[in-house]
Amino acid sequence: MELLLNGQYAPTTEAIGFLQADLATAAHALVAWRERVHGPGTVVVEWLNGGLTELLGRLDPLDVGPEATMELLVETGGRRWTAFFDSSAADPQVEPAVGVLSEQLGVRGVTAAWRPHPVGTEAEEVDADGQHLDEDALGGAGVTGFSITDPAAGPPDFYLRQLRAEYAYDQWEFTDEGEYLDFEDPAAYELERIPDRLTAERVAAYCQAMGIDPFNAQFYGPRAVLIHRPVEPLDRVPRDRSP
């Protein structure tokens, strides 16, 4: 299926968080949390208005390092959910942030992740099941994830549901934690090939059952809040938007 903005804003769009709160409430909570960490008055806040490509462009160049210097909250259609992106050049670190904000606000949080496993390179290796190997040579490994945090789920991590299909250490791994929800397809989790158990299509369907349309650019905006944090990256790199 077609990913958000056809994948041209990866890696930023490879993991997106959602908070079940309006934009102003989510922004206030994020700023308050970051200022408890960095100190009062150290966080810079910009209110923005625009299409998703324009809003995501404000995160460039991306950050190399353990922490992102910028975090972007974007209003979504219906205003039931606020989307969360950050400026990480590697894996976006949205899931931990959504977990913290979900607990602090007393609302549900959702994280949807999708990074296609690379194919079509000279270094490609394929095992007997057709799964692609050697993620380092291929420039990254595939992962698809869907998780829900809920304060009612309790500590330590407040996960109500966690599903993840990920290629790591030369093999695919599947995580299935929590109780099945009404909209899930549990039979899919028994499929032989792990990548088939949690596809991008399945993640999109699960999100849509909760009122989230993750792959539709029209679902996002126009209002947004850009948060600048006082952290120093190891480096900053331009995003590659080649199709």
Side-chain angles (χ1 to χ4, degrees):
M1 70 176 298
E2 185 173 310
L3 300 180
L4 181 59
L5 296 172
N6 202 29
Q8 292 187 24
Y9 277 77
T12 304
T13 54
E14 290 179 347
I16 305 175
F18 299 92
L19 289 162
Q20 198 170 25
D22 63 77
L23 178 62
T25 299
H28 177 78
L30 178 57
V31 171
W33 173 33
R34 293 311 187 193
E35 290 198 337
R36 285 195 298 272
V37 174
H38 301 298
T42 58
V43 174
V44 178
V45 180
E46 286 188 76
W47 282 83
L48 308 174
N49 195 291
L52 185 59
T53 56
E54 178 184 355
L55 297 173
L56 292 177
R58 294 296 303 271
L59 294 174
D60 286 356
L62 301 181
D63 303 314
V64 177
E67 296 184 279
T69 64
M70 291 181 286
E71 295 167 317
L72 179 69
L73 296 171
V74 182
E75 185 177 72
T76 67
R79 301 184 181 180
R80 286 184 53 206
W81 297 90
T82 294
F84 185 103
F85 303 86
D86 75 13
S87 57
S88 299
D91 294 334
Q93 299 299 304
V94 301
E95 189 163 16
V98 167
V100 170
L101 294 171
S102 170
E103 190 272 331
Q104 291 185 354
L105 287 170
V107 301
R108 282 190 173 182
V110 172
T111 302
W114 49 87
R115 182 171 62 239
H117 203 59
V119 297
T121 71
E122 293 181 0
E124 177 180 310
E125 297 179 13
V126 180
D127 68 11
D129 295 323
Q131 298 181 3
H132 300 277
L133 307 178
D134 195 356
E135 70 272 26
D136 292 331
L138 293 169
V143 59
T144 309
F146 174 81
S147 66
I148 303 173
T149 54
D150 190 320
D157 50 25
F158 299 96
Y159 278 119
L160 178 69
R161 192 75 175 100
Q162 189 175 35
L163 294 164
R164 193 172 183 87
E166 182 174 18
Y167 189 84
Y169 306 108
D170 297 333
Q171 64 181 0
W172 283 95
E173 299 177 350
F174 186 62
T175 300
D176 179 356
E177 297 180 355
E179 299 294 327
Y180 295 149
L181 301 173
D182 291 343
F183 52 75
E184 290 187 50
D185 179 14
Y189 312 149
E190 304 299 324
L191 295 174
E192 182 176 359
R193 293 187 69 253
I194 290 176
D196 295 335
R197 298 178 188 177
L198 189 66
T199 61
E201 290 84 355
R202 192 159 287 118
V203 168
Y206 290 177
C207 286
Q208 288 164 359
M210 300 185 69
I212 298 169
D213 197 1
F215 296 120
N216 179 9
Q218 303 306 312
F219 177 67
Y220 299 90
R223 297 195 309 152
V225 177
L226 183 64
I227 307 296
H228 299 261
R229 298 173 59 195
V231 297
E232 290 294 329
L234 299 176
D235 195 5
R236 304 197 78 186
V237 296
R239 187 198 316 268
D240 179 8
R241 294 202 192 94
S242 57

